[in-house]
Amino acid sequence: MASTASRKPLPPEAIGVLAGVLEGPYGGLFTGGLFWRRPDWRVAFFSGLGWLTAGMPGSPPLLALWIGQGVLELWQRGRWFRVLAVLGFAAGGLLFRFLWLAPLGVVLAEVARKRRHQGLALGGLALAGLGVYGPTGLLLPVGAWWAARLPWREGGRFRGMDLPSFLYGAAMLLRNMAVEALGWR
């Protein structure tokens, strides 16, 4: 049996480029790799720019992750923050093609991850993928499961996943420009 320990995994930047170039039906596999790394608001911003420039309906899965995490953090603060959490969830769901399915899947995945229910967390990611991509969104949890098993190198000029997600948005923009210029579709 061959050992996989000596193989170098793809750097997160390469995952971002692959997710951007293949975004759509089969990009979910690589977007799931970015999804599981818990991006912050800059990541959601960069991915949102790429999504908008690609002319895709709804919002990107990384934005769903950011909204879901924000809703959970507000809910945990209690009292009046729970009202803000419900309002944020209600408003955030309007950004997606299948409405509240994507943020609901993220909330389910995050709660399950904190309680160490891996299967339920992947099920939540499947809901999020369905809410963003439709039936091919089932590739999102496959990519997340795959990414959870890879060692990642962190660092560089950008903190965490900002650079990979910037490359994700940039690759989507360049791909969309090439598609329009060459008349593919």
PDB file of all heavy atoms in Angstrom, residues 39-53:
ATOM      1  N   PRO A  39     -13.901  31.022   6.099  1.00  0.00           N
ATOM      2  CA  PRO A  39     -13.473  32.350   5.671  1.00  0.00           C
ATOM      3  C   PRO A  39     -14.136  33.466   6.461  1.00  0.00           C
ATOM      4  O   PRO A  39     -15.151  33.271   7.107  1.00  0.00           O
ATOM      5  CB  PRO A  39     -13.905  32.406   4.210  1.00  0.00           C
ATOM      6  CG  PRO A  39     -15.027  31.458   4.116  1.00  0.00           C
ATOM      7  CD  PRO A  39     -14.735  30.369   5.102  1.00  0.00           C
ATOM      8  N   ASP A  40     -13.532  34.652   6.404  1.00  0.00           N
ATOM      9  CA  ASP A  40     -14.093  35.815   7.090  1.00  0.00           C
ATOM     10  C   ASP A  40     -14.781  36.721   6.073  1.00  0.00           C
ATOM     11  O   ASP A  40     -15.006  36.337   4.936  1.00  0.00           O
ATOM     12  CB  ASP A  40     -13.011  36.542   7.888  1.00  0.00           C
ATOM     13  CG  ASP A  40     -11.860  37.023   7.016  1.00  0.00           C
ATOM     14  OD1 ASP A  40     -11.962  36.963   5.782  1.00  0.00           O
ATOM     15  OD2 ASP A  40     -10.843  37.462   7.585  1.00  0.00           O
ATOM     16  N   TRP A  41     -15.104  37.945   6.462  1.00  0.00           N
ATOM     17  CA  TRP A  41     -15.890  38.827   5.595  1.00  0.00           C
ATOM     18  C   TRP A  41     -15.151  39.201   4.321  1.00  0.00           C
ATOM     19  O   TRP A  41     -15.762  39.388   3.282  1.00  0.00           O
ATOM     20  CB  TRP A  41     -16.336  40.077   6.359  1.00  0.00           C
ATOM     21  CG  TRP A  41     -15.214  41.029   6.679  1.00  0.00           C
ATOM     22  CD1 TRP A  41     -14.466  41.049   7.816  1.00  0.00           C
ATOM     23  CD2 TRP A  41     -14.730  42.083   5.846  1.00  0.00           C
ATOM     24  NE1 TRP A  41     -13.532  42.046   7.734  1.00  0.00           N
ATOM     25  CE2 TRP A  41     -13.668  42.712   6.546  1.00  0.00           C
ATOM     26  CE3 TRP A  41     -15.076  42.561   4.596  1.00  0.00           C
ATOM     27  CZ2 TRP A  41     -12.962  43.779   6.027  1.00  0.00           C
ATOM     28  CZ3 TRP A  41     -14.366  43.634   4.076  1.00  0.00           C
ATOM     29  CH2 TRP A  41     -13.333  44.230   4.800  1.00  0.00           C
ATOM     30  N   ARG A  42     -13.822  39.303   4.373  1.00  0.00           N
ATOM     31  CA  ARG A  42     -13.074  39.647   3.156  1.00  0.00           C
ATOM     32  C   ARG A  42     -13.197  38.533   2.126  1.00  0.00           C
ATOM     33  O   ARG A  42     -13.298  38.785   0.926  1.00  0.00           O
ATOM     34  CB  ARG A  42     -11.607  39.906   3.491  1.00  0.00           C
ATOM     35  CG  ARG A  42     -11.408  41.207   4.238  1.00  0.00           C
ATOM     36  CD  ARG A  42      -9.976  41.330   4.621  1.00  0.00           C
ATOM     37  NE  ARG A  42      -9.664  40.283   5.596  1.00  0.00           N
ATOM     38  CZ  ARG A  42      -9.105  40.512   6.758  1.00  0.00           C
ATOM     39  NH1 ARG A  42      -8.757  41.715   7.096  1.00  0.00           N
ATOM     40  NH2 ARG A  42      -8.858  39.520   7.576  1.00  0.00           N
ATOM     41  N   VAL A  43     -13.188  37.320   2.598  1.00  0.00           N
ATOM     42  CA  VAL A  43     -13.347  36.167   1.712  1.00  0.00           C
ATOM     43  C   VAL A  43     -14.714  36.224   1.033  1.00  0.00           C
ATOM     44  O   VAL A  43     -14.836  36.034  -0.178  1.00  0.00           O
ATOM     45  CB  VAL A  43     -13.178  34.865   2.517  1.00  0.00           C
ATOM     46  CG1 VAL A  43     -13.532  33.666   1.682  1.00  0.00           C
ATOM     47  CG2 VAL A  43     -11.764  34.744   3.038  1.00  0.00           C
ATOM     48  N   ALA A  44     -15.752  36.495   1.819  1.00  0.00           N
ATOM     49  CA  ALA A  44     -17.098  36.596   1.254  1.00  0.00           C
ATOM     50  C   ALA A  44     -17.167  37.738   0.241  1.00  0.00           C
ATOM     51  O   ALA A  44     -17.814  37.618  -0.800  1.00  0.00           O
ATOM     52  CB  ALA A  44     -18.121  36.814   2.370  1.00  0.00           C
ATOM     53  N   PHE A  45     -16.468  38.818   0.520  1.00  0.00           N
ATOM     54  CA  PHE A  45     -16.452  39.964  -0.394  1.00  0.00           C
ATOM     55  C   PHE A  45     -15.784  39.598  -1.710  1.00  0.00           C
ATOM     56  O   PHE A  45     -16.329  39.846  -2.784  1.00  0.00           O
ATOM     57  CB  PHE A  45     -15.725  41.128   0.275  1.00  0.00           C
ATOM     58  CG  PHE A  45     -15.568  42.337  -0.605  1.00  0.00           C
ATOM     59  CD1 PHE A  45     -16.641  43.163  -0.860  1.00  0.00           C
ATOM     60  CD2 PHE A  45     -14.341  42.627  -1.163  1.00  0.00           C
ATOM     61  CE1 PHE A  45     -16.497  44.279  -1.669  1.00  0.00           C
ATOM     62  CE2 PHE A  45     -14.184  43.740  -1.978  1.00  0.00           C
ATOM     63  CZ  PHE A  45     -15.267  44.562  -2.233  1.00  0.00           C
ATOM     64  N   PHE A  46     -14.603  38.990  -1.633  1.00  0.00           N
ATOM     65  CA  PHE A  46     -13.884  38.617  -2.854  1.00  0.00           C
ATOM     66  C   PHE A  46     -14.659  37.598  -3.672  1.00  0.00           C
ATOM     67  O   PHE A  46     -14.749  37.698  -4.896  1.00  0.00           O
ATOM     68  CB  PHE A  46     -12.493  38.056  -2.525  1.00  0.00           C
ATOM     69  CG  PHE A  46     -11.514  39.086  -2.059  1.00  0.00           C
ATOM     70  CD1 PHE A  46     -10.720  38.835  -0.963  1.00  0.00           C
ATOM     71  CD2 PHE A  46     -11.380  40.295  -2.706  1.00  0.00           C
ATOM     72  CE1 PHE A  46      -9.804  39.777  -0.523  1.00  0.00           C
ATOM     73  CE2 PHE A  46     -10.477  41.244  -2.277  1.00  0.00           C
ATOM     74  CZ  PHE A  46      -9.676  40.988  -1.184  1.00  0.00           C
ATOM     75  N   SER A  47     -15.220  36.607  -3.007  1.00  0.00           N
ATOM     76  CA  SER A  47     -15.971  35.595  -3.743  1.00  0.00           C
ATOM     77  C   SER A  47     -17.239  36.200  -4.327  1.00  0.00           C
ATOM     78  O   SER A  47     -17.649  35.840  -5.429  1.00  0.00           O
ATOM     79  CB  SER A  47     -16.304  34.402  -2.850  1.00  0.00           C
ATOM     80  OG  SER A  47     -17.261  34.752  -1.871  1.00  0.00           O
ATOM     81  N   GLY A  48     -17.857  37.146  -3.599  1.00  0.00           N
ATOM     82  CA  GLY A  48     -19.047  37.807  -4.112  1.00  0.00           C
ATOM     83  C   GLY A  48     -18.755  38.618  -5.361  1.00  0.00           C
ATOM     84  O   GLY A  48     -19.548  38.636  -6.304  1.00  0.00           O
ATOM     85  N   LEU A  49     -17.606  39.290  -5.398  1.00  0.00           N
ATOM     86  CA  LEU A  49     -17.219  40.043  -6.586  1.00  0.00           C
ATOM     87  C   LEU A  49     -17.059  39.113  -7.788  1.00  0.00           C
ATOM     88  O   LEU A  49     -17.525  39.416  -8.884  1.00  0.00           O
ATOM     89  CB  LEU A  49     -15.915  40.804  -6.345  1.00  0.00           C
ATOM     90  CG  LEU A  49     -16.005  42.065  -5.514  1.00  0.00           C
ATOM     91  CD1 LEU A  49     -14.627  42.691  -5.373  1.00  0.00           C
ATOM     92  CD2 LEU A  49     -16.971  43.063  -6.126  1.00  0.00           C
ATOM     93  N   GLY A  50     -16.376  38.007  -7.562  1.00  0.00           N
ATOM     94  CA  GLY A  50     -16.194  37.051  -8.655  1.00  0.00           C
ATOM     95  C   GLY A  50     -17.515  36.487  -9.140  1.00  0.00           C
ATOM     96  O   GLY A  50     -17.735  36.310 -10.329  1.00  0.00           O
ATOM     97  N   TRP A  51     -18.414  36.220  -8.209  1.00  0.00           N
ATOM     98  CA  TRP A  51     -19.725  35.659  -8.542  1.00  0.00           C
ATOM     99  C   TRP A  51     -20.527  36.659  -9.365  1.00  0.00           C
ATOM    100  O   TRP A  51     -21.146  36.309 -10.362  1.00  0.00           O
ATOM    101  CB  TRP A  51     -20.453  35.322  -7.244  1.00  0.00           C
ATOM    102  CG  TRP A  51     -21.635  34.435  -7.385  1.00  0.00           C
ATOM    103  CD1 TRP A  51     -22.932  34.812  -7.591  1.00  0.00           C
ATOM    104  CD2 TRP A  51     -21.651  33.013  -7.304  1.00  0.00           C
ATOM    105  NE1 TRP A  51     -23.751  33.715  -7.629  1.00  0.00           N
ATOM    106  CE2 TRP A  51     -22.989  32.597  -7.453  1.00  0.00           C
ATOM    107  CE3 TRP A  51     -20.676  32.052  -7.103  1.00  0.00           C
ATOM    108  CZ2 TRP A  51     -23.370  31.267  -7.415  1.00  0.00           C
ATOM    109  CZ3 TRP A  51     -21.060  30.729  -7.066  1.00  0.00           C
ATOM    110  CH2 TRP A  51     -22.386  30.348  -7.223  1.00  0.00           C
ATOM    111  N   LEU A  52     -20.494  37.935  -8.936  1.00  0.00           N
ATOM    112  CA  LEU A  52     -21.233  38.965  -9.668  1.00  0.00           C
ATOM    113  C   LEU A  52     -20.676  39.160 -11.065  1.00  0.00           C
ATOM    114  O   LEU A  52     -21.427  39.314 -12.025  1.00  0.00           O
ATOM    115  CB  LEU A  52     -21.183  40.287  -8.902  1.00  0.00           C
ATOM    116  CG  LEU A  52     -22.013  40.351  -7.628  1.00  0.00           C
ATOM    117  CD1 LEU A  52     -21.738  41.650  -6.889  1.00  0.00           C
ATOM    118  CD2 LEU A  52     -23.492  40.226  -7.942  1.00  0.00           C
ATOM    119  N   THR A  53     -19.354  39.164 -11.188  1.00  0.00           N
ATOM    120  CA  THR A  53     -18.766  39.380 -12.503  1.00  0.00           C
ATOM    121  C   THR A  53     -18.996  38.190 -13.419  1.00  0.00           C
ATOM    122  O   THR A  53     -18.956  38.336 -14.637  1.00  0.00           O
ATOM    123  CB  THR A  53     -17.254  39.656 -12.407  1.00  0.00           C
ATOM    124  OG1 THR A  53     -16.611  38.553 -11.776  1.00  0.00           O
ATOM    125  CG2 THR A  53     -16.980  40.921 -11.633  1.00  0.00           C
TER     126      THR A  53
END
